[in-house]
Amino acid sequence: MFARLCENGAVPRRINPEQRDRAVVEAAWRVLTRDGLTALSVRNVAAEAHLPPSSLRYTFPTQASVRERAVDTLVDRLRQRVAAIPEPPGGPRWAHAALLELLPLDDERRVEMEVTLALGAAAMTDPDLRSSFNSVNAVVREVCTSAAAALGSEGKVAVDHLHALIDGLAFHLVRRTHGESTEWALKVLDAYLPGGARFVAGWSDAPDESR
Amino acid sequence: MFARLCENGAVPRRINPEQRDRAVVEAAWRVLTRDGLTALSVRNVAAEAHLPPSSLRYTFPTQASVRERAVDTLVDRLRQRVAAIPEPPGGPRWAHAALLELLPLDDERRVEMEVTLALGAAAMTDPDLRSSFNSVNAVVREVCTSAAAALGSEGKVAVDHLHALIDGLAFHLVRRTHGESTEWALKVLDAYLPGGARFVAGWSDAPDESR
DNA sequence: CTCGTACTCGCACAGTCGTACGAAAACGAA
DNA sequence: TTCGTTTTCGTACGACTGTGCGAGTACGAG
């Protein structure tokens, strides 16, 4: 029966290859966020995943394939998180929740954002990676479009504005130190988004001296 | 008399060292925008500047010093461009002109933005570079603060919004291909900024199908 | 001229890079 | 068991990395 799955009568070994791939990609993310783009080498990723480099190269033949899978996983994770929002799609509560998924407000999203920035920079000069990376931007754009519509903001200009604002906020949030407050970003969204739910409870526009 | 300038009785040789440094930094920028962060090596920069690698290392002893000077030059250029704005500071026309200096609307500013993103990503994992890089963000923040004040927008939230919006627009502009129109970004600014001059002449908010 | 300093730069070392190759191991089929 | 295929991974090669060292050059001071 397994013979039907693997065309030459053989059976997959050891562990789930998907699981293995995921572990490698997560190792790549760790290397990327800890040591930066220049440290994203086959050997470093393999060591981080507790694998001999040659074993890694069986499933990831080239270093470019590691980068590519790292970007693809970025898209998967983001889509997954947005799809998991419990609120009914199309409503303002969904829009707020979806926009929050695009901001690095906790460790998980922060890591994703750091990876996005690092690989995004790499994609500027690597055509293959660039086409993969466009998918990331496309997802963000998609969410912004839906959110704008759900909040009653019509027109391309409004979507462009929201998209730029979200990416700008994410950009600034990820450049702050780990523990710092993220409330300022929520306040900006509160002040910009039309009506509906608020992110910061009981907040008035009074000036404050934080940061 | 030259002896007074060079403390040991010797005189600078060949060419102006400032000019030399500038040429090296520009070579580094070219390598960075053409081949990416991983290609920013001593040898590549030296080759781009038409210098033997060992000569480069006389003025730039380490590869880190090259990166650092590249970031510092980023700050210098930006400050210089903002200072060169002919409009009277504090007015809305100055504010508009200053904000435009922060967006990659021509080749010069586009290159600066590409370098900013690449080195910004590198600064995420390099503490030394990070402190240098904070100056870049500080200048942008400064200009946004002044511009918001000049346009009558008060409060930290308004500045945060403008800063995020500008960086977000710059982020999206630089990721488009060279020739593409940048008008959409100007329309967003037009729609957001209170009163005063307009970037896009004769523009109405009618929906358009560009992009 | 000679001398001393500022500067140039060829060369080499140790380390890391991506990748190819082939032997060994695992394991289902027979 | 033996065989065949998939998977693992040790080893090696050539290219490239940052950096140290020391010989060689340019050039003003004397």
Side-chain angles (χ1 to χ4, degrees):
Chain A
M1 53 164 22
F2 270 150
R4 290 300 172 82
L5 296 174
C6 303
E7 51 188 284
N8 272 339
V11 165
R13 298 304 150 71
R14 294 298 158 89
I15 64 166
N16 190 340
E18 283 181 37
Q19 179 181 338
R20 165 92 160 234
D21 276 21
R22 193 147 43 88
V24 170
V25 168
E26 279 172 10
W29 283 21
R30 280 196 297 274
V31 172
L32 211 45
T33 55
R34 175 166 24 89
D35 304 323
L37 186 62
T38 57
L40 191 70
S41 66
V42 175
R43 285 170 175 82
N44 285 343
V45 172
E48 183 71 28
H50 301 291
L51 285 175
S54 337
S55 301
L56 181 76
R57 290 201 69 246
Y58 183 74
T59 40
F60 294 87
T62 72
Q63 183 238 25
S65 68
V66 177
R67 287 197 293 251
E68 200 170 330
R69 291 278 300 176
V71 174
D72 291 345
T73 306
L74 226 39
V75 177
D76 291 345
R77 293 273 189 104
L78 187 51
R79 284 216 134 94
Q80 202 170 315
R81 278 214 319 276
V82 171
I85 294 172
E87 315 289 340
R93 300 183 67 88
W94 177 89
H96 281 74
L99 291 178
L100 289 189
E101 292 300 333
L102 302 180
L103 297 179
L105 297 174
D106 59 15
D107 277 358
E108 182 191 356
R109 285 171 281 179
R110 186 190 172 88
V111 167
E112 280 186 21
M113 189 64 202
E114 289 178 13
V115 172
T116 302
L117 281 183
L119 291 179
M124 294 287 299
T125 54
D126 181 338
D128 296 341
L129 201 59
R130 190 174 188 125
S131 57
S132 293
F133 189 79
N134 283 340
S135 305
V136 180
N137 228 317
V139 174
V140 176
R141 177 76 183 189
E142 205 175 286
V143 171
C144 285
T145 305
S146 303
L151 291 169
S153 295
E154 297 293 335
K156 181 178 174 303
V157 172
V159 175
D160 282 340
H161 188 153
L162 182 59
H163 191 186
L165 181 60
I166 286 290
D167 275 355
L169 289 175
F171 191 74
H172 291 161
L173 281 169
V174 85
R175 271 194 165 64
R176 309 244 161 238
T177 50
H178 236 70
E180 234 167 308
S181 170
T182 58
E183 198 179 286
W184 65 271
L186 302 183
K187 285 183 182 176
V188 170
L189 272 185
D190 269 355
Y192 173 64
L193 295 181
R198 284 287 179 249
F199 299 114
V200 182
W203 165 63
S204 71
D205 206 339
D208 72 339
E209 52 287 303
S210 68
R211 265 223 112 297
Chain B
M1 57 170 9
F2 270 151
R4 289 300 173 79
L5 295 174
C6 303
E7 52 188 283
N8 273 338
V11 166
R13 299 304 150 74
R14 296 296 161 91
I15 66 169
N16 189 340
E18 284 181 36
Q19 179 181 337
R20 163 91 160 232
D21 277 20
R22 192 145 44 89
V24 170
V25 169
E26 279 173 7
W29 283 21
R30 280 197 298 274
V31 172
L32 210 45
T33 55
R34 176 168 22 91
D35 304 322
L37 186 62
T38 57
L40 191 69
S41 65
V42 176
R43 285 168 175 84
N44 284 344
V45 172
E48 183 71 30
H50 302 290
L51 285 175
S54 332
S55 301
L56 181 76
R57 291 202 64 246
Y58 184 74
T59 39
F60 293 88
T62 74
Q63 183 238 24
S65 67
V66 177
R67 289 198 292 252
E68 199 170 331
R69 291 277 300 174
V71 173
D72 291 345
T73 307
L74 228 38
V75 177
D76 291 346
R77 293 274 190 102
L78 186 51
R79 283 218 134 92
Q80 201 170 315
R81 279 213 320 277
V82 171
I85 294 173
E87 314 289 340
R93 300 181 68 88
W94 177 89
H96 281 73
L99 291 178
L100 288 189
E101 292 301 333
L102 302 180
L103 296 179
L105 297 172
D106 59 14
D107 277 357
E108 182 191 354
R109 284 171 283 179
R110 185 190 172 87
V111 167
E112 280 184 21
M113 190 63 202
E114 288 178 14
V115 172
T116 301
L117 280 184
L119 292 179
M124 293 287 299
T125 53
D126 181 339
D128 297 341
L129 201 59
R130 188 172 189 126
S131 58
S132 292
F133 190 79
N134 283 340
S135 304
V136 180
N137 227 320
V139 174
V140 175
R141 177 78 183 186
E142 203 176 286
V143 171
C144 285
T145 305
S146 303
L151 291 169
S153 295
E154 299 292 337
K156 179 178 177 302
V157 172
V159 174
D160 282 339
H161 188 155
L162 182 59
H163 190 186
L165 181 60
I166 286 289
D167 274 356
L169 289 174
F171 190 74
H172 290 159
L173 281 168
V174 85
R175 273 196 163 63
R176 310 243 160 235
T177 51
H178 235 69
E180 233 166 311
S181 169
T182 58
E183 199 180 287
W184 65 270
L186 302 183
K187 284 182 181 174
V188 171
L189 272 185
D190 270 355
Y192 173 65
L193 295 180
R198 284 288 179 247
F199 299 113
V200 182
W203 165 64
S204 73
D205 206 337
D208 72 339
E209 52 286 301
S210 65
R211 271 217 67 60

mmCIF file of all heavy atoms in Angstrom, chain A residues 22-46:
data_model
loop_
_atom_site.group_PDB
_atom_site.id
_atom_site.type_symbol
_atom_site.label_atom_id
_atom_site.label_comp_id
_atom_site.label_asym_id
_atom_site.label_seq_id
_atom_site.Cartn_x
_atom_site.Cartn_y
_atom_site.Cartn_z
ATOM 1 N N ARG A 22 10.023 21.677 8.524
ATOM 2 C CA ARG A 22 9.604 22.774 9.406
ATOM 3 C C ARG A 22 10.683 23.077 10.439
ATOM 4 O O ARG A 22 10.982 24.229 10.737
ATOM 5 C CB ARG A 22 8.285 22.407 10.089
ATOM 6 C CG ARG A 22 7.615 23.553 10.774
ATOM 7 C CD ARG A 22 6.090 23.438 10.731
ATOM 8 N NE ARG A 22 5.645 22.078 11.000
ATOM 9 C CZ ARG A 22 5.410 21.601 12.230
ATOM 10 N NH1 ARG A 22 5.596 22.380 13.273
ATOM 11 N NH2 ARG A 22 4.980 20.376 12.394
ATOM 12 N N ALA A 23 11.277 22.019 10.983
ATOM 13 C CA ALA A 23 12.343 22.210 11.971
ATOM 14 C C ALA A 23 13.519 22.964 11.354
ATOM 15 O O ALA A 23 14.111 23.845 11.984
ATOM 16 C CB ALA A 23 12.803 20.860 12.510
ATOM 17 N N VAL A 24 13.843 22.620 10.105
ATOM 18 C CA VAL A 24 14.950 23.293 9.432
ATOM 19 C C VAL A 24 14.629 24.763 9.214
ATOM 20 O O VAL A 24 15.456 25.647 9.472
ATOM 21 C CB VAL A 24 15.264 22.605 8.087
ATOM 22 C CG1 VAL A 24 16.249 23.436 7.282
ATOM 23 C CG2 VAL A 24 15.818 21.207 8.321
ATOM 24 N N VAL A 25 13.410 25.028 8.754
ATOM 25 C CA VAL A 25 13.038 26.417 8.503
ATOM 26 C C VAL A 25 13.066 27.219 9.801
ATOM 27 O O VAL A 25 13.548 28.351 9.841
ATOM 28 C CB VAL A 25 11.638 26.489 7.858
ATOM 29 C CG1 VAL A 25 11.130 27.917 7.858
ATOM 30 C CG2 VAL A 25 11.695 25.948 6.442
ATOM 31 N N GLU A 26 12.591 26.604 10.874
ATOM 32 C CA GLU A 26 12.632 27.319 12.149
ATOM 33 C C GLU A 26 14.059 27.562 12.603
ATOM 34 O O GLU A 26 14.365 28.619 13.171
ATOM 35 C CB GLU A 26 11.855 26.537 13.212
ATOM 36 C CG GLU A 26 10.361 26.771 13.109
ATOM 37 C CD GLU A 26 9.579 25.858 14.037
ATOM 38 O OE1 GLU A 26 10.205 25.188 14.876
ATOM 39 O OE2 GLU A 26 8.336 25.821 13.926
ATOM 40 N N ALA A 27 14.918 26.615 12.342
ATOM 41 C CA ALA A 27 16.336 26.821 12.653
ATOM 42 C C ALA A 27 16.885 27.983 11.835
ATOM 43 O O ALA A 27 17.632 28.826 12.343
ATOM 44 C CB ALA A 27 17.127 25.548 12.366
ATOM 45 N N ALA A 28 16.492 28.029 10.571
ATOM 46 C CA ALA A 28 16.943 29.122 9.706
ATOM 47 C C ALA A 28 16.456 30.466 10.252
ATOM 48 O O ALA A 28 17.202 31.447 10.270
ATOM 49 C CB ALA A 28 16.434 28.914 8.282
ATOM 50 N N TRP A 29 15.222 30.491 10.702
ATOM 51 C CA TRP A 29 14.686 31.729 11.289
ATOM 52 C C TRP A 29 15.493 32.150 12.507
ATOM 53 O O TRP A 29 15.786 33.331 12.690
ATOM 54 C CB TRP A 29 13.225 31.524 11.691
ATOM 55 C CG TRP A 29 12.272 31.555 10.539
ATOM 56 C CD1 TRP A 29 12.561 31.352 9.217
ATOM 57 C CD2 TRP A 29 10.871 31.820 10.621
ATOM 58 N NE1 TRP A 29 11.424 31.455 8.478
ATOM 59 C CE2 TRP A 29 10.364 31.738 9.307
ATOM 60 C CE3 TRP A 29 9.987 32.089 11.654
ATOM 61 C CZ2 TRP A 29 9.018 31.935 9.019
ATOM 62 C CZ3 TRP A 29 8.648 32.284 11.379
ATOM 63 C CH2 TRP A 29 8.168 32.210 10.068
ATOM 64 N N ARG A 30 15.829 31.166 13.336
ATOM 65 C CA ARG A 30 16.598 31.502 14.540
ATOM 66 C C ARG A 30 17.957 32.083 14.166
ATOM 67 O O ARG A 30 18.383 33.095 14.734
ATOM 68 C CB ARG A 30 16.783 30.261 15.414
ATOM 69 C CG ARG A 30 15.572 29.931 16.263
ATOM 70 C CD ARG A 30 15.931 28.966 17.383
ATOM 71 N NE ARG A 30 16.398 27.672 16.880
ATOM 72 C CZ ARG A 30 15.601 26.665 16.563
ATOM 73 N NH1 ARG A 30 14.292 26.799 16.688
ATOM 74 N NH2 ARG A 30 16.094 25.528 16.119
ATOM 75 N N VAL A 31 18.625 31.453 13.214
ATOM 76 C CA VAL A 31 19.920 31.972 12.778
ATOM 77 C C VAL A 31 19.761 33.388 12.248
ATOM 78 O O VAL A 31 20.533 34.292 12.568
ATOM 79 C CB VAL A 31 20.536 31.064 11.696
ATOM 80 C CG1 VAL A 31 21.774 31.701 11.094
ATOM 81 C CG2 VAL A 31 20.879 29.704 12.281
ATOM 82 N N LEU A 32 18.725 33.573 11.463
ATOM 83 C CA LEU A 32 18.484 34.858 10.814
ATOM 84 C C LEU A 32 18.242 35.972 11.831
ATOM 85 O O LEU A 32 18.798 37.067 11.722
ATOM 86 C CB LEU A 32 17.271 34.718 9.888
ATOM 87 C CG LEU A 32 17.189 35.556 8.630
ATOM 88 C CD1 LEU A 32 18.507 35.565 7.886
ATOM 89 C CD2 LEU A 32 16.084 35.030 7.747
ATOM 90 N N THR A 33 17.435 35.696 12.828
ATOM 91 C CA THR A 33 17.109 36.737 13.809
ATOM 92 C C THR A 33 18.242 36.939 14.813
ATOM 93 O O THR A 33 18.384 38.017 15.356
ATOM 94 C CB THR A 33 15.820 36.384 14.578
ATOM 95 O OG1 THR A 33 15.956 35.086 15.161
ATOM 96 C CG2 THR A 33 14.624 36.391 13.642
ATOM 97 N N ARG A 34 19.012 35.877 15.056
ATOM 98 C CA ARG A 34 20.084 36.011 16.057
ATOM 99 C C ARG A 34 21.355 36.578 15.447
ATOM 100 O O ARG A 34 21.975 37.457 16.013
ATOM 101 C CB ARG A 34 20.368 34.653 16.709
ATOM 102 C CG ARG A 34 21.536 34.676 17.655
ATOM 103 C CD ARG A 34 21.637 33.465 18.544
ATOM 104 N NE ARG A 34 20.992 32.278 18.008
ATOM 105 C CZ ARG A 34 21.584 31.375 17.222
ATOM 106 N NH1 ARG A 34 22.845 31.535 16.896
ATOM 107 N NH2 ARG A 34 20.912 30.323 16.794
ATOM 108 N N ASP A 35 21.736 36.067 14.264
ATOM 109 C CA ASP A 35 23.042 36.420 13.706
ATOM 110 C C ASP A 35 22.966 37.173 12.385
ATOM 111 O O ASP A 35 24.006 37.560 11.854
ATOM 112 C CB ASP A 35 23.882 35.147 13.516
ATOM 113 C CG ASP A 35 24.031 34.374 14.822
ATOM 114 O OD1 ASP A 35 24.157 35.021 15.866
ATOM 115 O OD2 ASP A 35 24.005 33.130 14.784
ATOM 116 N N GLY A 36 21.789 37.306 11.827
ATOM 117 C CA GLY A 36 21.663 38.125 10.637
ATOM 118 C C GLY A 36 21.815 37.363 9.331
ATOM 119 O O GLY A 36 22.152 36.180 9.306
ATOM 120 N N LEU A 37 21.577 38.115 8.268
ATOM 121 C CA LEU A 37 21.521 37.512 6.932
ATOM 122 C C LEU A 37 22.843 36.886 6.508
ATOM 123 O O LEU A 37 22.865 35.822 5.877
ATOM 124 C CB LEU A 37 21.119 38.596 5.927
ATOM 125 C CG LEU A 37 20.859 38.158 4.500
ATOM 126 C CD1 LEU A 37 19.715 37.183 4.426
ATOM 127 C CD2 LEU A 37 20.581 39.378 3.641
ATOM 128 N N THR A 38 23.947 37.513 6.863
ATOM 129 C CA THR A 38 25.242 37.007 6.414
ATOM 130 C C THR A 38 25.597 35.685 7.090
ATOM 131 O O THR A 38 26.470 34.962 6.613
ATOM 132 C CB THR A 38 26.360 38.024 6.695
ATOM 133 O OG1 THR A 38 26.358 38.323 8.088
ATOM 134 C CG2 THR A 38 26.127 39.309 5.918
ATOM 135 N N ALA A 39 24.931 35.383 8.188
ATOM 136 C CA ALA A 39 25.207 34.123 8.897
ATOM 137 C C ALA A 39 24.298 32.993 8.430
ATOM 138 O O ALA A 39 24.410 31.876 8.924
ATOM 139 C CB ALA A 39 25.054 34.327 10.404
ATOM 140 N N LEU A 40 23.394 33.304 7.512
ATOM 141 C CA LEU A 40 22.452 32.276 7.046
ATOM 142 C C LEU A 40 23.137 31.337 6.062
ATOM 143 O O LEU A 40 22.880 31.385 4.868
ATOM 144 C CB LEU A 40 21.237 32.941 6.400
ATOM 145 C CG LEU A 40 20.060 31.998 6.116
ATOM 146 C CD1 LEU A 40 19.415 31.556 7.406
ATOM 147 C CD2 LEU A 40 19.043 32.664 5.207
ATOM 148 N N SER A 41 24.002 30.497 6.568
ATOM 149 C CA SER A 41 24.733 29.560 5.716
ATOM 150 C C SER A 41 24.213 28.150 5.958
ATOM 151 O O SER A 41 23.542 27.872 6.949
ATOM 152 C CB SER A 41 26.220 29.617 6.035
ATOM 153 O OG SER A 41 26.460 29.152 7.339
ATOM 154 N N VAL A 42 24.526 27.271 5.020
ATOM 155 C CA VAL A 42 24.120 25.875 5.151
ATOM 156 C C VAL A 42 24.618 25.303 6.476
ATOM 157 O O VAL A 42 23.868 24.676 7.223
ATOM 158 C CB VAL A 42 24.681 25.046 3.977
ATOM 159 C CG1 VAL A 42 24.358 23.583 4.167
ATOM 160 C CG2 VAL A 42 24.111 25.542 2.669
ATOM 161 N N ARG A 43 25.868 25.558 6.765
ATOM 162 C CA ARG A 43 26.459 24.985 7.975
ATOM 163 C C ARG A 43 25.812 25.532 9.243
ATOM 164 O O ARG A 43 25.543 24.780 10.185
ATOM 165 C CB ARG A 43 27.964 25.265 7.997
ATOM 166 C CG ARG A 43 28.741 24.389 7.030
ATOM 167 C CD ARG A 43 30.172 24.877 6.935
ATOM 168 N NE ARG A 43 31.017 24.023 6.109
ATOM 169 C CZ ARG A 43 31.073 24.077 4.802
ATOM 170 N NH1 ARG A 43 30.322 24.947 4.153
ATOM 171 N NH2 ARG A 43 31.856 23.273 4.131
ATOM 172 N N ASN A 44 25.574 26.822 9.282
ATOM 173 C CA ASN A 44 24.979 27.400 10.492
ATOM 174 C C ASN A 44 23.563 26.899 10.721
ATOM 175 O O ASN A 44 23.175 26.601 11.857
ATOM 176 C CB ASN A 44 24.985 28.929 10.410
ATOM 177 C CG ASN A 44 26.366 29.503 10.645
ATOM 178 O OD1 ASN A 44 27.254 28.820 11.164
ATOM 179 N ND2 ASN A 44 26.563 30.743 10.259
ATOM 180 N N VAL A 45 22.784 26.852 9.644
ATOM 181 C CA VAL A 45 21.413 26.362 9.776
ATOM 182 C C VAL A 45 21.412 24.910 10.219
ATOM 183 O O VAL A 45 20.653 24.503 11.098
ATOM 184 C CB VAL A 45 20.640 26.526 8.452
ATOM 185 C CG1 VAL A 45 19.278 25.845 8.530
ATOM 186 C CG2 VAL A 45 20.474 27.993 8.116
ATOM 187 N N ALA A 46 22.299 24.124 9.616
ATOM 188 C CA ALA A 46 22.377 22.707 9.983
ATOM 189 C C ALA A 46 22.739 22.551 11.452
ATOM 190 O O ALA A 46 22.120 21.766 12.176
ATOM 191 C CB ALA A 46 23.406 22.006 9.106
#
